[in-house]
Amino acid sequence: MDTNKVTNFQSLREAVGKFLLGKKTVLIPEMNRTGAHLFAATFRGFGIKAKVLETYKGLDLGKEYTSGKECYPCQVTMGDILQFLKKEKETLGEAFKPEDYVYFLPESDGPCRYGMYNKYQRIVLDSFPGLERLKICSLTATDGYATGGMLAEDRILSFKKAGYYSFVVADILDRLLWRIRPYEKESGMADEFIERSMRVMAEAFETYAAKKAFSRILDKLEDLIKEGKTIIDPEIPRKPLIGIVGEIFLRMHVHSNQDLIRVLESHGAEVVNASLAEWINFVSYDGLRRAKKGFRLNLKELCLTHMKTHLKKMLSFGTDLHYQEWRLKQVYKRIRPIIDLAEDHKISHLEKVLKKTDLFSFDMETEACLSIAAILQYAREGYNGVVNVYPFTCMPGTTTSAIVKPVMDERRVPYMDAPYDGSCQPGNEAAIRTFMYQAFQHLKIHGRKGTQK
Ligand code: SF4
């Protein structure tokens, strides 16, 4: 590591942002496995080379090049990219050209640290000779993850729509796994089936996404769901239903959360995790909300220029949200008659839930709004327990815990915090067992009301 280069902050402006991808290979971190693979397939469908980074193999490197004060997902992704580049350099030798790749690392603005991951990782990459030529492609939640500048102008909108669709389908495959695995006829059937299904759907995205042939993709998904349903053993009675919320990376990255869903299942649970699409909808909803607020403020002051800016944002975020919600509804409408998968919460409904209880406000932003509201909603829907997953020291995760714990106590709904930082916590297993005991008691007393809203 050439420490002299660590002070070169110019590259934060020049080598982090949106770049025309052209013939470069996009490197996608594996946050949730299915989502990353379907998203990479969508890129390929649009003629862009894309590969998913192998994950958690480079954690030692991630820890070596962070101080320990960063959020855990930053350490994990740091390790993933360094490990990939190290291996690629070893394999290609002289032919390795960092400028042939683009590292895909989106960001979200504050008040927490997610907006700093790409800056920090830029500084680290710049400290290795040659790696300053590897650009970091960063979409931002501030403009609703707009993809302008990355692809040819006439493909931007279709790519954005196809990308969102890939996340919806990935969420459904994940939910299918959590629905069938606790009831599988033979151990291992569900995992094997979902891995195979992911490949089938990746091929479908590669073939049809750029042609906007979404109905062909949906046909394939429907066939898979029908097949997946046959894995369920109807003799196994329904189990306590556990809802998971929390920080998006940790709750989706099975290595970082020590495969929490599987562990809960091994103790008798059926689990539903908050989805990726829910986060994207939240970003659009929040953008629309902010733009409306800005418009109202400037209307009072009759500031026409700012009113126009906010109006434009309202239109852009509003259109995104409308499209996303419509697409989501359309997909679930098709699969609902086949299997009872839990549907995403509508963000406007979550805000209403939060307003009613007056426990927190969407004005505070961050994932805590989503997590707190979703926990309250899970409790209302009759879930038998809720788990809040987050990286140790995560600000929204800790806020959620502080607010929700006493409320769940009062409502007598089993609740568990699950913070992770890569270390093995000796009391973890006992905490999960206790939590699941309470969930079974809850099921015995209140039954299982299912997932309907
Ligand atoms: S949500 Fe939590 S883990 Fe993620 S950047 Fe913010 S503080 Fe860190």
Side-chain angles (χ1 to χ4, degrees), residues 214-240:
F214 293 140
S215 58
R216 303 292 291 271
I217 296 176
L218 203 47
D219 289 344
K220 291 239 178 248
L221 181 68
E222 193 179 301
D223 290 345
L224 287 170
I225 292 174
K226 282 179 186 156
E227 190 188 336
K229 200 180 169 187
T230 62
I231 290 174
I232 296 176
D233 178 350
E235 298 300 314
I236 303 175
R238 294 301 286 269
K239 302 181 174 187

Side-chain angles (χ1 to χ4, degrees), residues 425-437:
Q425 300 153 37
N428 212 14
E429 173 81 8
I432 291 174
R433 275 177 193 277
T434 311
F435 169 75
M436 281 311 300
Y437 171 79

Side-chain angles (χ1 to χ4, degrees), residues 274-295:
S275 74
L276 198 52
E278 193 172 283
W279 168 254
I280 300 170
N281 292 348
F282 171 69
V283 167
S284 304
Y285 183 87
D286 189 49
L288 176 63
R289 205 176 167 278
R290 273 198 237 184
K292 279 183 184 168
K293 216 167 135 185
F295 181 81

Side-chain angles (χ1 to χ4, degrees), residues 70-74 108 111-117 247-250 366-367 390-398:
E70 303 78 5
C71 298
Y72 189 41
C74 184
S108 163
C112 73
R113 292 171 274 191
Y114 188 37
M116 300 311 287
Y117 287 17
E247 192 274 336
I248 191 162
F249 189 92
L250 254 283
T366 83
E367 241 169 353
Y390 54 95
F392 183 63
T393 77
C394 168
M395 193 193 78
T398 318

Side-chain angles (χ1 to χ4, degrees), residues 282 289 347-377 380 400 403-404 411:
F282 171 69
R289 205 176 167 278
I347 310 299
S348 55
H349 176 71
L350 290 182
E351 188 179 13
K352 271 186 211 147
V353 170
L354 214 50
K355 267 190 184 152
K356 215 169 162 185
T357 53
D358 207 17
L359 284 168
F360 201 69
S361 164
F362 266 45
D363 288 335
M364 307 287 283
E365 302 180 355
T366 83
E367 241 169 353
C369 311
L370 267 188
S371 298
I372 296 170
I375 288 175
L376 295 168
Q377 182 61 19
R380 279 165 63 151
T400 302
I403 291 176
V404 153
R411 297 189 186 181

